[in-house]
Amino acid sequence: MSERVLPEGWVETTLGQIVEYGKAEKATREQVDDNTWVLELEDIEKSSSRVIQRLNFKERQFKSTKNRFKKGDVLYGKLRPYLDKVVIAERDGVCTTEIVPLDARPHLDNRYLFYWLKSLDFLSYVNEVGYGVNMPRLGTKDGKAAPFVLAPQEEQKAIADKLNELLAQVSNLKARLDAIPAILKQFRQSVLQAAVSGDLSNGSANVWPNVKLIDVVVAKPRNGRSPKGVDFETPYKSLTLSSTTSGKFLGEKYKFVELDIKEDSHLWVKDGDILIQRANTIEYVGVSALYRGPDNIYVYPDLMMKCAVNDRAVPEFLHFILLSRSVRKYFRDNATGTSGNMPKINQKIVSEVQFKLPEIQEQAEIVRRVDQLFAFADQIEQQVANAQTRVDKLTQSILAKAFRGELTAEWRAENPELISGDNSAATLLERIKAEKAKQTPTKTRRGGRKATVTS
């Protein structure tokens, strides 16, 4: 274990000295009833320690033997330990053998143990010693040898109480931050709706003429081509569906292909072209992205069709039209193959999209205002992302302070008698060792003599 400076009354030890890591009472299907909680690793959300679903035996029948656990036990997911799947059992139940039930009571507060298993000190250790390449796990031997920082018993409770309070605040902050992207998505959609209705330009779509998409493009939309990707560099970067699924053009989403086409081929993507997904899930079919950049850098695949705008429309404005609620609904409603096969739209459906079109000058003004509002939303989104990163680090920062004794420095000053003498962690550790020694079964040697096994 690495050298560290611990508060007075604390000691360093190993997890195996504190709990029986790897030992668990087993349960077969015949030993449980329909209401028994059956916990699998997939039920635990990574890092957050949130149980995302609770199924009983009636809902989740099993054949293999399970580990039995009690209410208040710490349940540690030893498979892929970097996922940080640890929970405190809310009630009795059984779980997969990839989850290790741990109970440090009565000498430890199980909440203290729970938080230690989530600390960076512990996570760094298990990620280093875990065995298995694709599905690493923490073995019993390494689990017993894992580092553990033991605080006096009463201070453990004080630490757990403080962590409950602080990390609940962090969780609330994280939940609020996580909700903002959905709000921004709704804001952008409202901006698009205002753009296509004339609200952004103090105009009115009621006086704009009705047109079809075919009226504002150079030629009928055409499908691309999808040759097989190759694992070497070629002059042809073929876009993948993910390059446009977000509604924004992502130039890094492509694969190299081999083609024999001329410089004037329709397969080349040119500045101002709009790429429409003609096949995808029902949620994304018809989604589009506008390309702004040098000509003839990319070719587009068969699952997309391409539109080049004529002088009646600003490309950005037509793109806003295609992303609007009414047009997206039109594509979903007219897609074929929605049950079974991938939903598709054809050139006829796209060409006949109807919408209101203002004069070119008003389009340009609407585009300018939308760009301003979207830039504002993008700025907020980046600030939120930065804040989320800081909040993610905040949890580990608080845990680190807890296990350096920084959260309870004032408590120790006020309660010196609870961290020294018989109440020190060193005395507590010796008491735990003594009790474990009493509980350790003896092994019979050949000849009938018994050997005492010490911990």
Side-chain angles (χ1 to χ4, degrees), residues 212-270:
K212 294 181 179 179
L213 181 133
I214 194 65
D215 300 324
V216 297
V217 294
V218 174
K220 184 179 179 180
R222 297 184 66 176
N223 296 352
R225 191 185 303 173
S226 294
K228 187 177 180 180
V230 296
D231 56 4
F232 54 87
E233 189 170 337
T234 75
Y236 305 101
K237 297 178 179 179
S238 180
L239 297 170
T240 62
L241 273 181
S242 56
S243 68
T244 58
T245 301
S246 66
K248 294 182 179 180
F249 182 84
L250 302 177
E252 70 275 13
K253 304 293 185 180
Y254 66 86
K255 60 183 179 181
F256 287 109
V257 296
E258 289 187 296
L259 279 173
D260 182 17
I261 59 174
K262 298 179 180 179
E263 288 188 5
D264 61 351
S265 171
H266 78 91
L267 292 176
W268 288 112
V269 179
K270 299 184 183 299

Short mmCIF file of all heavy atoms in Angstrom, two decimals, residues 212-270:
data_model
loop_
_atom_site.label_atom_id
_atom_site.label_comp_id
_atom_site.label_asym_id
_atom_site.label_seq_id
_atom_site.Cartn_x
_atom_site.Cartn_y
_atom_site.Cartn_z
N LYS A 212 -42.86 23.40 -53.45
CA LYS A 212 -42.38 22.06 -53.16
C LYS A 212 -40.86 22.07 -53.22
O LYS A 212 -40.26 22.94 -53.86
CB LYS A 212 -42.93 21.05 -54.16
CG LYS A 212 -44.44 20.87 -54.09
CD LYS A 212 -44.90 19.84 -55.11
CE LYS A 212 -46.41 19.63 -55.03
NZ LYS A 212 -46.88 18.63 -56.04
N LEU A 213 -40.25 21.09 -52.59
CA LEU A 213 -38.79 21.04 -52.60
C LEU A 213 -38.24 21.01 -54.02
O LEU A 213 -37.23 21.64 -54.32
CB LEU A 213 -38.29 19.84 -51.80
CG LEU A 213 -36.76 19.71 -51.73
CD1 LEU A 213 -36.29 19.45 -50.31
CD2 LEU A 213 -36.25 18.60 -52.65
N ILE A 214 -38.91 20.30 -54.91
CA ILE A 214 -38.43 20.19 -56.30
C ILE A 214 -38.33 21.56 -56.96
O ILE A 214 -37.56 21.76 -57.91
CB ILE A 214 -39.34 19.24 -57.11
CG1 ILE A 214 -38.67 18.85 -58.44
CG2 ILE A 214 -40.71 19.85 -57.32
CD1 ILE A 214 -37.42 18.03 -58.27
N ASP A 215 -39.10 22.56 -56.43
CA ASP A 215 -39.09 23.91 -57.01
C ASP A 215 -37.84 24.70 -56.64
O ASP A 215 -37.53 25.70 -57.29
CB ASP A 215 -40.32 24.70 -56.55
CG ASP A 215 -41.62 24.04 -56.97
OD1 ASP A 215 -41.66 23.46 -58.08
OD2 ASP A 215 -42.59 24.11 -56.19
N VAL A 216 -37.14 24.28 -55.59
CA VAL A 216 -36.02 25.09 -55.10
C VAL A 216 -34.69 24.35 -55.17
O VAL A 216 -33.70 24.76 -54.56
CB VAL A 216 -36.27 25.56 -53.65
CG1 VAL A 216 -37.50 26.46 -53.58
CG2 VAL A 216 -36.40 24.39 -52.70
N VAL A 217 -34.64 23.24 -55.93
CA VAL A 217 -33.38 22.52 -56.10
C VAL A 217 -33.00 22.49 -57.57
O VAL A 217 -33.84 22.65 -58.46
CB VAL A 217 -33.46 21.08 -55.55
CG1 VAL A 217 -33.64 21.11 -54.03
CG2 VAL A 217 -34.59 20.29 -56.20
N VAL A 218 -31.72 22.30 -57.82
CA VAL A 218 -31.20 22.31 -59.18
C VAL A 218 -31.71 21.12 -59.98
O VAL A 218 -32.06 21.24 -61.16
CB VAL A 218 -29.65 22.32 -59.16
CG1 VAL A 218 -29.09 22.19 -60.58
CG2 VAL A 218 -29.14 23.59 -58.49
N ALA A 219 -31.76 19.98 -59.33
CA ALA A 219 -32.19 18.75 -60.01
C ALA A 219 -32.86 17.83 -58.98
O ALA A 219 -32.75 18.04 -57.77
CB ALA A 219 -31.01 18.04 -60.65
N LYS A 220 -33.57 16.86 -59.48
CA LYS A 220 -34.23 15.89 -58.62
C LYS A 220 -33.22 15.23 -57.69
O LYS A 220 -32.11 14.89 -58.11
CB LYS A 220 -34.92 14.83 -59.49
CG LYS A 220 -35.74 13.81 -58.72
CD LYS A 220 -36.39 12.83 -59.70
CE LYS A 220 -37.19 11.79 -58.94
NZ LYS A 220 -37.84 10.81 -59.86
N PRO A 221 -33.56 15.05 -56.41
CA PRO A 221 -32.64 14.39 -55.48
C PRO A 221 -32.20 13.03 -56.01
O PRO A 221 -33.00 12.29 -56.60
CB PRO A 221 -33.47 14.24 -54.19
CG PRO A 221 -34.52 15.30 -54.29
CD PRO A 221 -34.83 15.42 -55.75
N ARG A 222 -30.92 12.72 -55.78
CA ARG A 222 -30.38 11.45 -56.27
C ARG A 222 -29.73 10.67 -55.14
O ARG A 222 -29.12 11.26 -54.24
CB ARG A 222 -29.34 11.70 -57.36
CG ARG A 222 -29.92 12.38 -58.60
CD ARG A 222 -28.88 12.51 -59.69
NE ARG A 222 -28.45 11.21 -60.23
CZ ARG A 222 -27.59 11.07 -61.25
NH1 ARG A 222 -27.07 12.15 -61.83
NH2 ARG A 222 -27.27 9.88 -61.68
N ASN A 223 -29.87 9.33 -55.23
CA ASN A 223 -29.23 8.47 -54.24
C ASN A 223 -27.73 8.39 -54.49
O ASN A 223 -27.25 8.59 -55.61
CB ASN A 223 -29.81 7.05 -54.31
CG ASN A 223 -31.27 7.01 -53.95
OD1 ASN A 223 -31.84 8.01 -53.49
ND2 ASN A 223 -31.90 5.86 -54.15
N GLY A 224 -26.99 8.05 -53.43
CA GLY A 224 -25.56 7.87 -53.57
C GLY A 224 -25.21 6.44 -53.92
O GLY A 224 -26.03 5.69 -54.44
N ARG A 225 -24.00 6.06 -53.61
CA ARG A 225 -23.52 4.71 -53.91
C ARG A 225 -22.70 4.23 -52.72
O ARG A 225 -22.01 5.03 -52.07
CB ARG A 225 -22.66 4.71 -55.17
CG ARG A 225 -22.35 3.30 -55.70
CD ARG A 225 -21.39 3.36 -56.88
NE ARG A 225 -21.89 4.18 -57.98
CZ ARG A 225 -21.18 4.48 -59.05
NH1 ARG A 225 -19.91 4.04 -59.16
NH2 ARG A 225 -21.69 5.22 -60.01
N SER A 226 -22.76 2.92 -52.44
CA SER A 226 -22.10 2.39 -51.24
C SER A 226 -21.20 1.21 -51.57
O SER A 226 -21.53 0.04 -51.30
CB SER A 226 -23.15 1.95 -50.21
OG SER A 226 -23.86 3.06 -49.72
N PRO A 227 -20.03 1.47 -52.16
CA PRO A 227 -19.07 0.39 -52.34
C PRO A 227 -18.51 -0.05 -50.99
O PRO A 227 -18.61 0.69 -49.99
CB PRO A 227 -17.98 1.02 -53.21
CG PRO A 227 -18.09 2.48 -52.93
CD PRO A 227 -19.53 2.74 -52.66
N LYS A 228 -17.94 -1.22 -50.96
CA LYS A 228 -17.41 -1.77 -49.71
C LYS A 228 -16.22 -0.95 -49.24
O LYS A 228 -15.37 -0.53 -50.03
CB LYS A 228 -17.00 -3.23 -49.92
CG LYS A 228 -16.58 -3.94 -48.65
CD LYS A 228 -16.25 -5.39 -48.94
CE LYS A 228 -15.82 -6.11 -47.66
NZ LYS A 228 -15.50 -7.55 -47.91
N GLY A 229 -16.16 -0.71 -47.94
CA GLY A 229 -15.05 0.02 -47.37
C GLY A 229 -13.75 -0.78 -47.44
O GLY A 229 -13.77 -2.02 -47.46
N VAL A 230 -12.63 -0.08 -47.50
CA VAL A 230 -11.31 -0.73 -47.54
C VAL A 230 -10.49 -0.23 -46.36
O VAL A 230 -10.78 0.82 -45.78
CB VAL A 230 -10.58 -0.44 -48.86
CG1 VAL A 230 -11.34 -1.05 -50.03
CG2 VAL A 230 -10.41 1.06 -49.07
N ASP A 231 -9.45 -0.99 -46.01
CA ASP A 231 -8.65 -0.63 -44.84
C ASP A 231 -7.37 0.10 -45.21
O ASP A 231 -6.39 0.08 -44.49
CB ASP A 231 -8.31 -1.89 -44.02
CG ASP A 231 -7.59 -2.94 -44.85
OD1 ASP A 231 -7.30 -2.67 -46.03
OD2 ASP A 231 -7.32 -4.03 -44.31
N PHE A 232 -7.40 0.76 -46.36
CA PHE A 232 -6.25 1.58 -46.76
C PHE A 232 -6.78 2.89 -47.34
O PHE A 232 -7.95 3.01 -47.70
CB PHE A 232 -5.38 0.85 -47.78
CG PHE A 232 -6.12 0.34 -48.99
CD1 PHE A 232 -6.33 1.14 -50.12
CD2 PHE A 232 -6.64 -0.96 -49.00
CE1 PHE A 232 -7.02 0.67 -51.22
CE2 PHE A 232 -7.33 -1.44 -50.10
CZ PHE A 232 -7.53 -0.63 -51.22
N GLU A 233 -5.92 3.90 -47.38
CA GLU A 233 -6.34 5.22 -47.81
C GLU A 233 -6.52 5.28 -49.32
O GLU A 233 -5.70 4.77 -50.09
CB GLU A 233 -5.32 6.26 -47.36
CG GLU A 233 -5.77 7.69 -47.57
CD GLU A 233 -4.85 8.69 -46.90
OE1 GLU A 233 -4.15 8.31 -45.94
OE2 GLU A 233 -4.85 9.86 -47.33
N THR A 234 -7.64 5.90 -49.74
CA THR A 234 -7.93 6.12 -51.16
C THR A 234 -8.34 7.58 -51.35
O THR A 234 -8.54 8.30 -50.36
CB THR A 234 -9.08 5.20 -51.64
OG1 THR A 234 -10.32 5.71 -51.13
CG2 THR A 234 -8.88 3.76 -51.18
N PRO A 235 -8.53 8.04 -52.58
CA PRO A 235 -9.00 9.42 -52.79
C PRO A 235 -10.48 9.62 -52.46
O PRO A 235 -10.97 10.74 -52.55
CB PRO A 235 -8.76 9.64 -54.30
CG PRO A 235 -7.81 8.58 -54.72
CD PRO A 235 -8.11 7.41 -53.85
N TYR A 236 -11.17 8.53 -52.06
CA TYR A 236 -12.62 8.62 -51.89
C TYR A 236 -13.02 8.35 -50.45
O TYR A 236 -12.90 7.22 -49.94
CB TYR A 236 -13.31 7.63 -52.83
CG TYR A 236 -12.92 7.82 -54.27
CD1 TYR A 236 -11.98 6.98 -54.87
CD2 TYR A 236 -13.46 8.86 -55.02
CE1 TYR A 236 -11.61 7.17 -56.19
CE2 TYR A 236 -13.08 9.05 -56.34
CZ TYR A 236 -12.15 8.21 -56.92
OH TYR A 236 -11.78 8.41 -58.23
N LYS A 237 -13.50 9.41 -49.77
CA LYS A 237 -14.02 9.29 -48.42
C LYS A 237 -15.54 9.21 -48.51
O LYS A 237 -16.20 10.19 -48.82
CB LYS A 237 -13.62 10.51 -47.58
CG LYS A 237 -12.12 10.66 -47.38
CD LYS A 237 -11.81 11.93 -46.58
CE LYS A 237 -10.33 12.09 -46.34
NZ LYS A 237 -10.01 13.33 -45.57
N SER A 238 -16.07 8.02 -48.25
CA SER A 238 -17.51 7.81 -48.33
C SER A 238 -18.15 8.05 -46.96
O SER A 238 -17.79 7.41 -45.96
CB SER A 238 -17.82 6.38 -48.79
OG SER A 238 -19.20 6.17 -48.88
N LEU A 239 -19.08 8.97 -46.91
CA LEU A 239 -19.72 9.33 -45.65
C LEU A 239 -20.54 8.16 -45.09
O LEU A 239 -21.14 7.40 -45.85
CB LEU A 239 -20.62 10.54 -45.84
CG LEU A 239 -19.93 11.83 -46.26
CD1 LEU A 239 -20.95 12.89 -46.67
CD2 LEU A 239 -19.04 12.36 -45.14
N THR A 240 -20.58 8.03 -43.78
CA THR A 240 -21.45 7.06 -43.14
C THR A 240 -22.72 7.77 -42.67
O THR A 240 -22.77 9.00 -42.62
CB THR A 240 -20.75 6.42 -41.93
OG1 THR A 240 -20.45 7.44 -40.96
CG2 THR A 240 -19.45 5.74 -42.35
N LEU A 241 -23.74 6.98 -42.32
CA LEU A 241 -24.99 7.59 -41.86
C LEU A 241 -24.77 8.49 -40.64
O LEU A 241 -25.42 9.52 -40.49
CB LEU A 241 -26.00 6.50 -41.51
CG LEU A 241 -26.89 5.96 -42.65
CD1 LEU A 241 -27.84 4.92 -42.10
CD2 LEU A 241 -27.64 7.07 -43.35
N SER A 242 -23.84 8.11 -39.78
CA SER A 242 -23.61 8.89 -38.56
C SER A 242 -23.05 10.28 -38.86
O SER A 242 -23.06 11.14 -37.98
CB SER A 242 -22.67 8.15 -37.61
OG SER A 242 -21.44 7.84 -38.25
N SER A 243 -22.62 10.53 -40.09
CA SER A 243 -22.11 11.86 -40.43
C SER A 243 -23.22 12.89 -40.50
O SER A 243 -22.95 14.10 -40.45
CB SER A 243 -21.36 11.81 -41.77
OG SER A 243 -22.26 11.55 -42.84
N THR A 244 -24.48 12.44 -40.60
CA THR A 244 -25.59 13.39 -40.71
C THR A 244 -26.72 13.14 -39.71
O THR A 244 -27.68 13.91 -39.65
CB THR A 244 -26.19 13.36 -42.13
OG1 THR A 244 -26.62 12.02 -42.43
CG2 THR A 244 -25.16 13.79 -43.17
N THR A 245 -26.64 12.07 -38.93
CA THR A 245 -27.75 11.69 -38.05
C THR A 245 -28.10 12.76 -37.03
O THR A 245 -29.26 12.90 -36.63
CB THR A 245 -27.42 10.36 -37.32
OG1 THR A 245 -27.18 9.35 -38.30
CG2 THR A 245 -28.57 9.91 -36.43
N SER A 246 -27.12 13.53 -36.59
CA SER A 246 -27.37 14.56 -35.57
C SER A 246 -28.04 15.80 -36.14
O SER A 246 -28.46 16.69 -35.39
CB SER A 246 -26.05 14.97 -34.92
OG SER A 246 -25.21 15.62 -35.86
N GLY A 247 -28.16 15.89 -37.47
CA GLY A 247 -28.67 17.11 -38.10
C GLY A 247 -27.57 18.11 -38.40
O GLY A 247 -27.82 19.15 -39.01
N LYS A 248 -26.35 17.78 -37.98
CA LYS A 248 -25.17 18.57 -38.31
C LYS A 248 -24.20 17.69 -39.08
O LYS A 248 -24.13 16.48 -38.86
CB LYS A 248 -24.49 19.09 -37.04
CG LYS A 248 -25.28 20.09 -36.25
CD LYS A 248 -24.49 20.57 -35.04
CE LYS A 248 -25.24 21.60 -34.23
NZ LYS A 248 -24.46 22.07 -33.05
N PHE A 249 -23.45 18.29 -39.98
CA PHE A 249 -22.50 17.51 -40.77
C PHE A 249 -21.25 17.23 -39.94
O PHE A 249 -20.62 18.15 -39.41
CB PHE A 249 -22.11 18.26 -42.04
CG PHE A 249 -21.16 17.49 -42.93
CD1 PHE A 249 -21.64 16.55 -43.82
CD2 PHE A 249 -19.80 17.69 -42.84
CE1 PHE A 249 -20.78 15.82 -44.61
CE2 PHE A 249 -18.92 16.96 -43.63
CZ PHE A 249 -19.42 16.02 -44.53
N LEU A 250 -20.89 15.95 -39.83
CA LEU A 250 -19.69 15.54 -39.09
C LEU A 250 -18.70 14.93 -40.07
O LEU A 250 -18.84 13.78 -40.50
CB LEU A 250 -20.06 14.52 -38.00
CG LEU A 250 -21.10 15.00 -36.96
CD1 LEU A 250 -21.43 13.88 -35.99
CD2 LEU A 250 -20.59 16.23 -36.23
N GLY A 251 -17.69 15.72 -40.41
CA GLY A 251 -16.76 15.31 -41.46
C GLY A 251 -15.83 14.18 -41.11
O GLY A 251 -15.19 13.59 -42.00
N GLU A 252 -15.74 13.82 -39.82
CA GLU A 252 -14.85 12.73 -39.43
C GLU A 252 -15.51 11.36 -39.55
O GLU A 252 -14.85 10.32 -39.37
CB GLU A 252 -14.37 12.94 -37.99
CG GLU A 252 -15.41 12.76 -36.91
CD GLU A 252 -16.24 14.00 -36.65
OE1 GLU A 252 -16.19 14.94 -37.47
OE2 GLU A 252 -16.95 14.04 -35.62
N LYS A 253 -16.81 11.34 -39.90
CA LYS A 253 -17.54 10.08 -40.00
C LYS A 253 -17.55 9.60 -41.46
O LYS A 253 -18.46 9.88 -42.23
CB LYS A 253 -18.97 10.25 -39.50
CG LYS A 253 -19.08 10.78 -38.08
CD LYS A 253 -18.57 9.78 -37.06
CE LYS A 253 -18.80 10.27 -35.65
NZ LYS A 253 -18.31 9.30 -34.63
N TYR A 254 -16.52 8.87 -41.85
CA TYR A 254 -16.44 8.36 -43.22
C TYR A 254 -15.60 7.10 -43.24
O TYR A 254 -14.96 6.73 -42.24
CB TYR A 254 -15.80 9.42 -44.15
CG TYR A 254 -14.36 9.72 -43.83
CD1 TYR A 254 -13.31 8.94 -44.36
CD2 TYR A 254 -14.00 10.77 -42.99
CE1 TYR A 254 -12.00 9.20 -44.07
CE2 TYR A 254 -12.68 11.05 -42.69
CZ TYR A 254 -11.68 10.26 -43.23
OH TYR A 254 -10.36 10.51 -42.93
N LYS A 255 -15.61 6.43 -44.37
CA LYS A 255 -14.73 5.27 -44.60
C LYS A 255 -14.13 5.42 -45.99
O LYS A 255 -14.73 6.02 -46.89
CB LYS A 255 -15.50 3.96 -44.48
CG LYS A 255 -16.64 3.81 -45.48
CD LYS A 255 -17.41 2.51 -45.25
CE LYS A 255 -18.58 2.38 -46.24
NZ LYS A 255 -19.36 1.16 -46.02
N PHE A 256 -12.96 4.89 -46.19
CA PHE A 256 -12.33 4.91 -47.51
C PHE A 256 -12.95 3.81 -48.38
O PHE A 256 -13.22 2.70 -47.91
CB PHE A 256 -10.82 4.69 -47.40
CG PHE A 256 -10.08 5.87 -46.85
CD1 PHE A 256 -9.51 5.83 -45.58
CD2 PHE A 256 -9.94 7.02 -47.61
CE1 PHE A 256 -8.81 6.91 -45.08
CE2 PHE A 256 -9.24 8.11 -47.11
CZ PHE A 256 -8.69 8.07 -45.85
N VAL A 257 -13.19 4.16 -49.65
CA VAL A 257 -13.74 3.19 -50.61
C VAL A 257 -12.98 3.33 -51.92
O VAL A 257 -12.25 4.30 -52.15
CB VAL A 257 -15.25 3.43 -50.86
CG1 VAL A 257 -16.05 3.21 -49.59
CG2 VAL A 257 -15.49 4.83 -51.42
N GLU A 258 -13.16 2.34 -52.79
CA GLU A 258 -12.57 2.39 -54.13
C GLU A 258 -13.68 2.70 -55.13
O GLU A 258 -14.71 2.02 -55.16
CB GLU A 258 -11.90 1.06 -54.46
CG GLU A 258 -10.63 0.83 -53.66
CD GLU A 258 -9.88 -0.41 -54.13
OE1 GLU A 258 -10.44 -1.52 -53.99
OE2 GLU A 258 -8.75 -0.27 -54.63
N LEU A 259 -13.49 3.73 -55.93
CA LEU A 259 -14.46 4.15 -56.93
C LEU A 259 -13.74 4.53 -58.22
O LEU A 259 -12.55 4.85 -58.22
CB LEU A 259 -15.27 5.36 -56.43
CG LEU A 259 -16.44 5.12 -55.47
CD1 LEU A 259 -16.96 6.46 -54.98
CD2 LEU A 259 -17.55 4.34 -56.15
N ASP A 260 -14.51 4.51 -59.30
CA ASP A 260 -13.99 4.99 -60.58
C ASP A 260 -15.00 6.00 -61.10
O ASP A 260 -15.91 5.67 -61.86
CB ASP A 260 -13.82 3.82 -61.56
CG ASP A 260 -13.22 4.28 -62.88
OD1 ASP A 260 -12.66 5.40 -62.92
OD2 ASP A 260 -13.32 3.54 -63.88
N ILE A 261 -14.87 7.26 -60.66
CA ILE A 261 -15.82 8.31 -61.06
C ILE A 261 -15.06 9.55 -61.52
O ILE A 261 -13.89 9.75 -61.18
CB ILE A 261 -16.77 8.70 -59.90
CG1 ILE A 261 -15.97 9.21 -58.70
CG2 ILE A 261 -17.65 7.54 -59.51
CD1 ILE A 261 -16.83 9.74 -57.57
N LYS A 262 -15.74 10.38 -62.29
CA LYS A 262 -15.13 11.60 -62.79
C LYS A 262 -15.33 12.75 -61.81
O LYS A 262 -16.12 12.66 -60.88
CB LYS A 262 -15.73 11.95 -64.15
CG LYS A 262 -15.49 10.90 -65.22
CD LYS A 262 -16.14 11.31 -66.54
CE LYS A 262 -15.90 10.25 -67.62
NZ LYS A 262 -16.54 10.62 -68.91
N GLU A 263 -14.62 13.83 -62.07
CA GLU A 263 -14.70 14.99 -61.17
C GLU A 263 -16.08 15.63 -61.16
O GLU A 263 -16.47 16.26 -60.19
CB GLU A 263 -13.66 16.05 -61.57
CG GLU A 263 -12.23 15.64 -61.25
CD GLU A 263 -11.26 16.77 -61.47
OE1 GLU A 263 -11.71 17.89 -61.78
OE2 GLU A 263 -10.04 16.54 -61.34
N ASP A 264 -16.84 15.44 -62.24
CA ASP A 264 -18.17 16.03 -62.30
C ASP A 264 -19.28 15.05 -61.90
O ASP A 264 -20.46 15.31 -62.11
CB ASP A 264 -18.46 16.59 -63.70
CG ASP A 264 -18.41 15.49 -64.77
OD1 ASP A 264 -17.99 14.35 -64.44
OD2 ASP A 264 -18.78 15.78 -65.92
N SER A 265 -18.91 13.92 -61.31
CA SER A 265 -19.90 12.94 -60.88
C SER A 265 -20.81 13.52 -59.80
O SER A 265 -20.37 14.29 -58.93
CB SER A 265 -19.21 11.69 -60.33
OG SER A 265 -20.15 10.82 -59.72
N HIS A 266 -22.08 13.13 -59.86
CA HIS A 266 -23.03 13.60 -58.85
C HIS A 266 -22.72 13.04 -57.47
O HIS A 266 -23.25 13.52 -56.45
CB HIS A 266 -24.46 13.21 -59.25
CG HIS A 266 -24.79 11.77 -58.97
ND1 HIS A 266 -25.35 11.35 -57.78
CD2 HIS A 266 -24.63 10.65 -59.74
CE1 HIS A 266 -25.53 10.04 -57.82
NE2 HIS A 266 -25.10 9.59 -59.00
N LEU A 267 -21.86 12.01 -57.40
CA LEU A 267 -21.54 11.39 -56.12
C LEU A 267 -20.67 12.30 -55.23
O LEU A 267 -20.63 12.12 -54.01
CB LEU A 267 -20.82 10.06 -56.34
CG LEU A 267 -21.67 8.93 -56.96
CD1 LEU A 267 -20.82 7.71 -57.21
CD2 LEU A 267 -22.84 8.59 -56.04
N TRP A 268 -19.98 13.26 -55.83
CA TRP A 268 -19.19 14.19 -55.03
C TRP A 268 -20.10 15.15 -54.28
O TRP A 268 -21.09 15.64 -54.81
CB TRP A 268 -18.24 15.00 -55.92
CG TRP A 268 -17.09 14.23 -56.48
CD1 TRP A 268 -16.88 13.92 -57.79
CD2 TRP A 268 -15.98 13.70 -55.76
NE1 TRP A 268 -15.71 13.22 -57.95
CE2 TRP A 268 -15.13 13.06 -56.71
CE3 TRP A 268 -15.61 13.69 -54.42
CZ2 TRP A 268 -13.94 12.44 -56.35
CZ3 TRP A 268 -14.42 13.06 -54.07
CH2 TRP A 268 -13.61 12.44 -55.01
N VAL A 269 -19.77 15.40 -53.02
CA VAL A 269 -20.50 16.38 -52.21
C VAL A 269 -19.85 17.75 -52.41
O VAL A 269 -18.63 17.88 -52.34
CB VAL A 269 -20.48 16.01 -50.72
CG1 VAL A 269 -21.23 17.05 -49.89
CG2 VAL A 269 -21.09 14.62 -50.51
N LYS A 270 -20.69 18.76 -52.68
CA LYS A 270 -20.18 20.10 -52.95
C LYS A 270 -20.71 21.08 -51.90
O LYS A 270 -21.71 20.82 -51.23
CB LYS A 270 -20.57 20.55 -54.36
CG LYS A 270 -20.00 19.64 -55.44
CD LYS A 270 -20.31 20.15 -56.82
CE LYS A 270 -19.79 19.21 -57.90
NZ LYS A 270 -18.32 19.06 -57.85
#
